[in-house]
């Protein structure tokens, strides 16, 4: 295969993982030939990116993309997280994804209780639709890119006003680590260590965020951390084949995936055709046994767990029609459709 053809194929594949435009991925591969096909973050940069993945991956809302992130731009030194336009939690209710992201990410103190948001996270700059974030006293940078017309300064001012009216203290403009953050870091030292241990995983997944849309059959993706396990639940509709092996193969791909290995599995695919739903659970760890952290993935297959109108709600948020046709196919009208599952 000619070098140009190989580059084009790699760019298309990288785009399916990262969510970058194919041309952007091709230019990055051409310009940084010595880097891995998807470069990994290290140290505090990985910690910052993992925090973003932790907070935005919690679920609880609906987005056009599985965790409200349309893709990444893996620019050296300052990766860009491209946000969805809007989020919604129930029919007819939409609000800017920029508001939702800041509510989860920006730190504020609840005196006498705890710090909420990402400790040590600071706003470095605002440039049009780009919000520049960093960790105080660390070499880490990340950009949140809102949709065109996003007015970050207005969103920040409104967020500050709401917090202060509630007696809470915004921390994202503090020049140094606040006493509230230092106190919480001492009190919850084990949680801080766990977050650092899992940073390689969270950052690696954020840089491959588009795989949850392009390689998964799930219409809903959410995650949370318990102990040293990062747990993901991916829900697939009964009308759609559950291809967890295909997703895992992409996740562990030697070239573009993460250095993971399956350590345990509990597969219930044998119940297909005999049960209305089932769950297959896989435990993955780093290929190197000295690297801590476990990724648990629960592939759930069955009736819709969020009601019959999920597709309509995602269409309101401008979700990609090809993706919707794949993960939430419309049933044909008629008696057979009314007596089956929920979508």
């Amino acid at each position: 295969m000619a070098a140009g053809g190989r580059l084009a194929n790699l760019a298309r594949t990288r785009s399916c993982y990262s969510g970058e435009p194919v041309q952007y991925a091709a230019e990055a591969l051409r310009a940084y030939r010595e880097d891995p096909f998807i470069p990994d973050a290290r140290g505090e940069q990985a910690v910052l990116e993992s925090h973003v993945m932790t907070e935005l991956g919690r679920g609880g809302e609906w987005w056009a993309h599985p965790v409200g992130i349309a893709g990444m731009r893996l620019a050296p030194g300052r990766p860009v997280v491209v946000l969805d336009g809007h989020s919604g939690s129930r029919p007819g209710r939409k609000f800017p994804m920029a508001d939702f992201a800041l509510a989860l990410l920006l730190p504020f103190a609840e005196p006498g209780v705890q710090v909420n948001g990402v400790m040590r996270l600071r706003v470095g700059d605002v440039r049009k639709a780009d919000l520049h974030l960093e960790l105080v006293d660390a070499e880490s940078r990340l950009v949140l890119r809102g949709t065109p017309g996003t007015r970050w300064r207005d969103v920040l001012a409104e967020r500050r006003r709401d917090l202060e009216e509630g007696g809470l203290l915004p921390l994202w403009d503090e020049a140094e680590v606040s006493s509230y953050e230092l106190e919480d870091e001492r009190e919850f030292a084990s949680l801080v260590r766990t977050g650092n241990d899992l940073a390689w995983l969270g950052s690696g997944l954020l840089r491959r965020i588009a795989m949850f849309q392009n390689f998964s059959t799930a219409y809903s993706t959410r995650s949370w951390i318990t102990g040293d396990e990062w747990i993901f639940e991916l829900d697939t509709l009964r009308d759609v084949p559950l291809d967890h092996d295909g997703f895992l193969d992409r996740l562990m791909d030697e070239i573009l995936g993460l250095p993971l290995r399956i350590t345990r599995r509990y597969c219930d695919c044998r119940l297909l055709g005999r049960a209305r739903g089932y769950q297959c659970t896989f435990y993955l760890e780093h290929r190197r046994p000295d690297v801590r952290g476990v990724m648990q993935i629960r592939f759930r297959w069955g009736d819709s767990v969020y009601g019959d109108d999920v597709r309509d709600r995602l269409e309101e948020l401008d979700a990609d029609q090809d993706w919707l046709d794949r993960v939430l196919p419309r049933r044909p009208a008629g008696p057979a459709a009314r007596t089956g599952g929920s979508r």
Side-chain angles (χ1 to χ4, degrees):
M1 181 186 295
R6 181 173 183 272
L7 177 66
N9 287 336
L10 279 174
R12 283 192 291 270
T13 305
R14 171 165 152 160
S15 174
C16 288
Y17 276 89
S18 65
E20 297 164 309
V22 174
Q23 185 60 37
Y24 183 100
E27 291 174 358
L29 290 169
R30 189 180 296 111
Y32 305 101
R33 293 179 180 273
E34 303 304 316
D35 288 348
F37 295 114
I38 294 183
D40 292 319
R42 298 280 186 261
E44 294 293 343
Q45 182 65 36
V47 171
L48 173 57
E49 294 178 19
S50 185
H51 281 313
V52 172
M53 183 66 196
T54 301
E55 297 302 328
L56 298 188
R58 292 183 185 277
E61 298 287 333
W62 291 100
W63 306 274
H65 296 80
V67 295
I69 299 174
M72 291 284 288
R73 304 291 184 273
L74 300 178
R78 197 180 294 271
V80 177
V81 179
V82 182
L83 298 176
D84 276 347
H86 292 84
S87 174
S89 60
R90 59 179 181 265
R93 181 177 183 263
K94 294 199 320 184
F95 55 92
M97 184 63 190
D99 293 18
F100 181 80
L102 294 195
L104 290 175
L105 293 171
L106 294 186
F108 63 92
E110 196 173 355
V113 183
Q114 65 178 18
V115 173
N116 296 277
V118 178
M119 290 191 290
R120 297 181 179 239
L121 185 65
R122 301 294 185 264
V123 173
D125 196 7
V126 176
R127 300 177 188 173
K128 297 184 178 179
D130 287 355
L131 180 72
H132 292 244
L133 299 174
E134 58 194 45
L135 293 176
V136 68
D137 294 337
E139 292 296 324
S140 57
R141 303 290 185 272
L142 183 144
V143 174
L144 286 187
R145 177 162 296 166
T147 53
T150 299
R151 302 173 67 88
W152 285 112
R153 296 189 190 279
D154 293 345
V155 178
L156 288 165
E158 183 178 358
R159 180 67 178 156
R160 175 178 293 278
R161 182 169 58 251
D162 290 345
L163 291 172
E164 291 177 342
E165 288 177 355
L168 306 173
L169 303 176
L171 300 175
W172 58 82
D173 286 333
E174 296 292 318
E176 299 179 350
V177 183
S178 69
S179 60
Y180 301 103
E181 291 165 313
L182 290 173
E183 182 179 353
D184 268 25
E185 287 175 351
R186 286 192 296 268
E187 184 174 353
F188 304 109
S190 63
L191 294 178
V192 174
R193 284 194 299 271
T194 296
N196 292 338
D197 288 342
L198 290 170
W200 66 272
L201 177 59
S203 171
L205 291 171
L206 183 66
R207 288 173 174 236
R208 295 161 177 83
I209 195 65
M211 68 177 299
F212 288 102
Q213 181 169 49
N214 293 324
F215 304 141
S216 165
T217 57
Y219 60 89
S220 172
T221 299
R222 59 196 169 279
S223 71
W224 65 93
I225 295 173
T226 300
D228 67 346
E229 289 188 1
W230 201 323
I231 302 170
F232 284 78
E233 281 190 348
L234 280 64
D235 279 295
T236 295
L237 192 66
R238 289 183 70 245
D239 294 345
V240 178
L242 176 60
D243 181 19
H244 52 55
D245 288 348
F247 180 83
L248 292 170
D249 287 346
R250 297 284 193 168
L251 176 63
M252 299 184 294
D253 183 79
E254 292 285 344
I255 295 177
L256 291 162
L258 286 170
L260 290 163
R261 58 191 172 93
I262 298 172
T263 57
R264 284 181 289 160
R265 70 180 73 202
Y266 304 94
C267 184
D268 284 337
C269 283
R270 66 187 183 280
L271 299 177
L272 180 63
R274 294 188 289 150
R276 293 196 65 83
Y278 61 84
Q279 174 176 300
C280 299
T281 304
F282 293 79
Y283 295 81
L284 301 96
E285 298 180 24
H286 200 284
R287 291 177 193 148
R288 287 171 38 197
D290 59 314
V291 178
R292 301 183 60 181
V294 177
M295 182 180 185
Q296 180 193 142
I297 313 181
R298 302 172 181 174
F299 297 95
R300 309 199 312 173
W301 181 89
D303 293 334
S304 171
V305 295
Y306 297 113
D308 296 342
D309 61 346
V310 173
R311 175 163 178 145
D312 293 336
R313 290 157 62 181
L314 289 172
E315 285 181 338
E316 289 178 0
L317 298 171
D318 299 322
D320 180 76
Q321 289 294 316
D322 288 340
W323 175 64
L324 290 175
D325 289 342
R326 184 165 59 85
V327 302
L328 288 169
R330 290 195 184 278
R331 290 188 170 212
R338 290 194 294 270
T339 58
S342 47
R343 280 201 299 278

